[in-house]
Amino acid sequence: MRLQTKLIVLICSLLFTVLVLLSVVIEYMVTSLLKDQIGTRALKVAESVASIPEIRYAFDLPDPSSVIQPIAEDIRSKTGAEFIVIGNRDGIRYSHPYPDRIGKEMVGGDNGPVLQGMSIISEAEGSLGPSLRGKVPIHSDNGDVIGIVSIGFMIDDINQWDDVYQRQIFIIALGALLVALIGAVMIARGVRRSIHGLEPEEIGALYMEKKAILESIREALLAIDSSGRITMANQQTLHILGLKDDAELLGKPIQDVVPTTRLLEVIRTGQSHFDEMMLINGQEVVVNRVPVFNRKQEVIGAVASFRNKSELFRLAEELSQVKRFAEGLRAQTHEYSNKLYVISGLIQLESYQEAVEMISRESDVHQNLIQFIMREIPDPVIGGLLIGKYNRAQELKIQFEIDRESSFRDVPGWIDKDLLVTIIGNLADNAMEAHLEHSIDEEKKVTLFLSDLGDDLMIECEDNGPGIPPHWSDSIFERGVSSKEGEHRGIGLSLVKHAVQRLGGTIQHEPSADHGTIFFVVIPKRNPNAVPAGTAFVTKE
């Protein structure tokens, strides 16, 4: 049986059951209400009859029925009651629809409470058959009970009225069932369209395929609905968030799990975000965010895919290091080619002394720089970076100095050297590019100072360029913000900021004495994620 047929049968069965139960309940309520209304009506008429003075006074006459019977029959014909029976305290009738039964005892056995002064509604079998009665005592002028008024309607008549209502209820229920059948067909067709005509087995297979695909993807995936609650997360997401089961995520507001998320903005605007960086659970990730649309092109949710940036960052840094070394070698080759031409010219001019002095001078400068770097900055990656930057500066006619008071020997092992390379390399590049963008008459100079004294690593990079415009002072570390012209600018300092933050450090800048800029970076030697010595671990049972 196809899904549409199953839905129609299911909905019709449910509606039929509901309608049957509802009909039974309504029938019971109508019957009860009908009896209550008729009983109340009988009781009110009985009270009116009992209050008629002629009837009370007739009880003192030798023949009370001669007065009471005409009055009772007149009222009975006007009210539509089946009978109006009036009797004395002994239950002897003074009125009855059948005159031959006047003077005989009242039937039903329900006069006891009335003789005690109570007005009642009862259902009993009298001389005319089962009836619903309203019974009221008749009081004398001094308040004594002298008689009984009993007004009734036959149960058979009440049942006939009830049958009329039942037929009406049945007709209404049948009409409702037909409307429900039409609605069930429309609902089933709508459901089938919403699930693209798929059968339950096909939907189940697609779900398992989707689950397998999600778990096979190395990227973390997270989905939310239009209200911002998490609806899906794969194992990579759980790994990044440090969770074991998606039950800890599903149904929770995304702000409670990832406070810095922008998925709600995607739902609000319907715009996608690609290749953005953010921190999740202390890890830097690259995020893509896209909205989810329904058939009416309404945003019904959003999906984010993100991957840990460390692998991409490491690969990019390796490529960047190779590029920097290649640029350093190219700059060194170019610089030495020029100097070789000069030396060759001096030799051809037989100026041997000048050639020897130039060779000695260049040899001493590089030898001293290399020896200083090997002694004070023993890390080969950082040392190679500094030599490359020095050669690059020589090619650009920029004086690149490493402060001779620098020392970078006590670098803790937990600090990622690639991040230090990012910080030092981009600060040096930023300082040199400041000179390239603005031509100045005075000597172009970049000074670098590295220190490992005390509890922190310190990096200072100073240039005598044009400085940072005041209106960019607070946003210079934002991605895409740069005082330099051209595309693909404003990346270097943003990378420096991210690297410093990952190492738990701080970065600041201020104008230098030579109208340029000084950047200060402070990185704590102590690992911020390390557990202090003597810390006791408590395991919760």
Side-chain angles (χ1 to χ4, degrees):
M1 186 181 296
R2 297 186 65 82
L3 177 61
Q4 183 173 343
T5 305
K6 290 180 180 179
L7 284 174
I8 294 174
V9 172
L10 177 61
I11 294 174
C12 288
S13 300
L14 290 174
L15 289 173
F16 179 76
T17 303
V18 171
L19 286 173
V20 170
L21 294 175
L22 190 61
S23 299
V24 172
V25 172
I26 292 176
E27 179 185 348
Y28 173 77
M29 293 175 62
V30 168
T31 301
S32 300
L33 182 62
L34 185 61
K35 286 186 176 182
D36 288 343
Q37 290 180 343
I38 293 175
T40 302
R41 176 184 173 187
L43 190 64
K44 294 296 182 182
V45 174
E47 290 174 347
S48 299
V49 173
S51 65
I52 297 175
E54 290 82 356
I55 291 179
R56 291 204 311 271
Y57 298 150
F59 274 78
D60 296 331
L61 299 176
D63 185 13
S65 63
S66 62
V67 174
I68 295 174
Q69 174 70 0
I71 296 174
E73 285 300 299
D74 181 59
I75 294 173
R76 184 179 70 84
S77 63
K78 291 179 179 179
T79 60
E82 190 69 29
F83 60 84
I84 296 180
V85 176
I86 300 174
N88 61 16
R89 285 186 58 84
D90 297 328
I92 302 302
R93 303 185 184 106
Y94 290 158
S95 69
H96 193 279
Y98 295 100
D100 59 337
R101 297 182 185 182
I102 295 175
K104 296 182 180 179
E105 187 175 353
M106 299 173 70
V107 180
D110 51 357
N111 288 340
V114 183
L115 294 175
Q116 296 178 6
M118 300 174 58
S119 298
I120 65 171
I121 297 174
S122 67
E123 186 175 339
E125 185 169 353
S127 61
L128 299 178
S131 61
L132 185 65
R133 317 169 175 199
K135 291 200 168 193
V136 175
I138 300 175
H139 295 277
S140 64
D141 292 338
N142 57 10
D144 296 331
V145 176
I146 60 175
I148 299 170
V149 176
S150 177
I151 298 180
F153 296 85
M154 305 307 296
I155 297 297
D156 290 341
D157 294 338
I158 295 175
N159 289 337
Q160 289 179 1
W161 297 334
D162 189 38
D163 290 342
V164 174
Y165 289 117
Q166 288 182 13
R167 285 193 295 272
Q168 294 176 350
I169 293 172
F170 175 77
I171 293 172
I172 294 173
L174 183 61
L177 184 61
L178 292 175
V179 173
L181 178 61
I182 297 173
V185 174
M186 296 177 64
I187 292 173
R189 289 179 178 177
V191 171
R192 185 171 177 81
R193 283 196 304 270
S194 65
I195 59 176
H196 304 286
L198 297 174
E199 295 298 318
E201 296 80 7
E202 297 172 327
I203 295 174
L206 286 176
Y207 172 77
M208 297 306 297
E209 290 177 7
K210 170 195 169 186
K211 187 174 181 181
I213 292 172
L214 291 177
E215 298 305 334
S216 67
I217 297 175
R218 296 191 63 184
E219 290 188 350
L221 296 175
L222 187 66
I224 63 173
D225 59 20
S226 58
S227 63
R229 295 191 175 273
I230 298 174
T231 58
M232 184 276 295
N234 65 353
Q235 289 296 323
Q236 290 295 326
T237 304
L238 300 178
H239 176 71
I240 290 179
L241 296 175
L243 302 176
K244 294 182 179 179
D245 189 354
D246 59 3
E248 301 179 55
L249 281 180
L250 300 182
K252 289 187 176 181
I254 185 65
Q255 304 97 312
D256 294 348
V257 179
V258 187
T260 57
T261 183
R262 294 180 62 191
L263 279 175
L264 297 179
E265 179 183 339
V266 173
I267 292 178
R268 186 174 62 256
T269 63
Q271 301 296 319
S272 301
H273 302 162
F274 296 106
D275 296 329
E276 294 188 355
M277 290 183 292
M278 67 178 296
L279 287 175
I280 297 181
N281 198 27
Q283 302 181 56
E284 194 169 15
V285 296
V286 178
V287 184
N288 294 317
R289 309 179 190 91
V290 294
V292 179
F293 296 94
N294 60 11
R295 296 169 64 93
K296 298 179 180 179
Q297 293 303 304
E298 299 170 337
V299 179
I300 59 174
V303 177
S305 65
F306 46 93
R307 57 189 182 275
N308 196 310
K309 188 185 174 186
S310 58
E311 295 182 5
L312 298 176
F313 188 81
R314 186 172 295 107
L315 179 60
E317 281 302 307
E318 290 177 359
L319 294 174
S320 180
Q321 289 175 27
V322 172
K323 182 180 179 181
R324 283 193 289 265
F325 293 149
E327 289 179 351
L329 291 174
R330 181 182 61 81
Q332 189 176 27
T333 300
H334 184 73
E335 181 70 14
Y336 275 95
S337 294
N338 293 333
K339 292 178 179 179
L340 286 175
Y341 288 132
V342 174
I343 294 172
S344 175
L346 291 174
I347 293 174
Q348 293 179 28
L349 295 173
E350 298 182 357
S351 300
Y352 303 117
Q353 183 62 36
E354 288 80 356
V356 171
E357 290 176 358
M358 184 174 181
I359 293 171
S360 299
R361 184 171 61 253
E362 291 298 324
S363 177
D364 289 343
V365 171
H366 283 79
Q367 191 64 30
N368 290 337
L369 176 62
I370 292 173
Q371 288 179 355
F372 170 76
I373 290 176
M374 292 178 63
R375 182 178 68 252
E376 299 297 337
I377 309 173
D379 187 276
V381 175
I382 299 176
L385 171 69
L386 295 178
I387 293 174
K389 294 303 178 187
Y390 175 83
N391 293 328
R392 173 63 175 166
Q394 295 300 308
E395 181 185 8
L396 298 175
K397 305 303 180 183
I398 297 173
Q399 183 180 349
F400 185 83
E401 292 184 358
I402 302 175
D403 195 306
R404 295 301 171 169
E405 297 296 325
S406 296
S407 175
F408 229 50
R409 289 177 291 182
D410 185 19
V411 178
W414 70 269
I415 293 181
D416 191 341
K417 303 303 186 300
D418 292 337
L419 296 178
L420 290 178
V421 167
T422 297
I423 296 170
I424 297 171
N426 281 289
L427 286 177
D429 288 340
N430 185 72
M432 287 190 283
E433 288 179 2
H435 289 296
L436 296 178
E437 291 292 328
H438 300 82
S439 176
I440 56 178
D441 296 333
E442 62 184 48
E443 182 181 16
K444 300 176 182 179
K445 184 178 180 181
V446 174
T447 303
L448 185 67
F449 172 69
L450 307 175
S451 173
D452 58 3
L453 299 178
D455 297 329
D456 302 308
L457 298 179
M458 295 183 62
I459 302 171
E460 294 183 13
C461 186
E462 179 180 3
D463 65 74
N464 62 340
I468 299 174
H471 60 280
W472 279 330
S473 179
D474 295 332
S475 59
I476 194 66
F477 296 110
E478 295 180 8
R479 190 178 184 89
V481 176
S482 176
S483 60
K484 307 172 187 66
E485 297 180 356
E487 297 181 355
H488 309 296
R489 294 292 191 178
I491 298 175
L493 290 180
S494 174
L495 292 175
V496 172
K497 179 73 172 180
H498 279 286
V500 171
Q501 288 178 339
R502 291 186 61 185
L503 294 175
T506 59
I507 181 170
Q508 296 178 342
H509 66 86
E510 64 180 36
S512 68
D514 295 329
H515 309 292
T517 306
I518 304 177
F519 284 90
F520 303 93
V521 174
V522 178
I523 300 171
K525 291 183 180 180
R526 179 187 178 88
N527 188 348
N529 298 320
V531 179
T535 300
F537 291 89
V538 179
T539 302
K540 293 183 179 181
E541 296 294 337

